[in-house]
């Protein structure tokens, strides 16, 4: 059985991963990536364009399917940062704001503090929510 996930990262970081065919979450931690399996669907939510610079972007920025391989460690910033990643087959999709969907998604409908669970960096969503997000993204 496949699962559906929302991962959270700045749009700048998501676009880098999309261009290079990978995902990473929670500043490169391994444990969250171990929860994901090959074939799972992942959609990224980006609260901002750039990390730690609040700008109100609040958009879905990528959607794809996790590849067969296991998480692996990469090297960035001249070998000073070694995040864990998983490879993803990203779909063609249009970045789209979350606000028009808030009343229609199970994980946000009727919740004043809908963004709270985004703080965890990775969480499961229902097949219905994933289908609505995918349709909205044009994926």
């Amino acid at each position: 059985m496949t699962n559906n996930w929302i991962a959270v990262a700045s749009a700048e970081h998501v676009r880098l991963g999309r261009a290079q065919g990978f995902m990473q979450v929670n500043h490169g931690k391994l444990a969250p990536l171990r929860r994901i399996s090959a074939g799972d669907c992942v959609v990224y939510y980006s609260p901002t364009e750039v990390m730690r610079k609040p700008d109100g972007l609040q958009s879905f920025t990528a959607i794809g399917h996790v590849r067969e391989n296991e998480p692996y460690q990469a090297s960035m910033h001249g070998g000073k940062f070694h995040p864990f990643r998983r490879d993803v087959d990203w779909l063609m999709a249009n970045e789209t704001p979350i606000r028009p969907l808030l009343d229609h998604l199970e994980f946000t409908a009727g919740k004043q503090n809908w963004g709270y669970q985004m703080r965890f960096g990775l969480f499961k969503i229902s097949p219905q929510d994933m289908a609505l997000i995918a349709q909205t993204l044009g994926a």
Side-chain angles (χ1 to χ4, degrees), residues 40-85:
D40 284 359
C41 190
V42 176
V43 64
Y44 263 98
Y45 168 77
S46 297
T48 62
E49 282 283 342
V50 179
M51 188 170 77
R52 295 189 184 100
K53 292 193 178 177
D55 59 19
L57 179 66
Q58 297 182 326
S59 292
F60 293 113
T61 49
I63 187 168
H65 298 279
V66 178
R67 290 189 198 157
E68 289 290 328
N69 61 344
E70 293 296 317
Y72 59 91
Q73 199 164 21
S75 181
M76 294 178 68
H77 306 298
K80 294 179 183 175
F81 180 51
H82 302 281
F84 284 91
R85 297 176 173 170

Side-chain angles (χ1 to χ4, degrees), residues 7 9 13-15 27 36 51 72 79 91 94 100 108 112 121 128 130-131 134:
H13 288 167
V14 173
R15 291 175 191 134
H27 306 288
I36 300 172
M51 188 170 77
Y72 59 91
L91 303 173
N94 301 308
T108 59
Q112 184 175 355
Q128 295 82 5
M130 184 57 78

Side-chain angles (χ1 to χ4, degrees), residues 5 8 13 39 48 60-61 74 88 94 102 106 109 111-112 114 119 131:
W5 302 89
V8 181
H13 288 167
T48 62
F60 293 113
T61 49
V88 176
N94 301 308
L102 291 178
E106 292 175 14
K111 297 179 183 171
Q112 184 175 355
W114 59 266
R119 294 175 180 232

Side-chain angles (χ1 to χ4, degrees), residues 89-131:
D89 289 321
W90 296 111
L91 303 173
M92 294 298 293
N94 301 308
E95 296 182 9
T96 190
I98 192 174
R99 287 234 174 250
L101 300 177
L102 291 178
D103 289 337
H104 307 285
L105 295 167
E106 292 175 14
F107 76 94
T108 59
K111 297 179 183 171
Q112 184 175 355
N113 195 11
W114 59 266
Y116 179 77
Q117 61 192 333
M118 304 290 190
R119 294 175 180 232
F120 298 109
L122 181 73
F123 61 96
K124 282 186 190 180
I125 61 171
S126 70
Q128 295 82 5
D129 279 357
M130 184 57 78

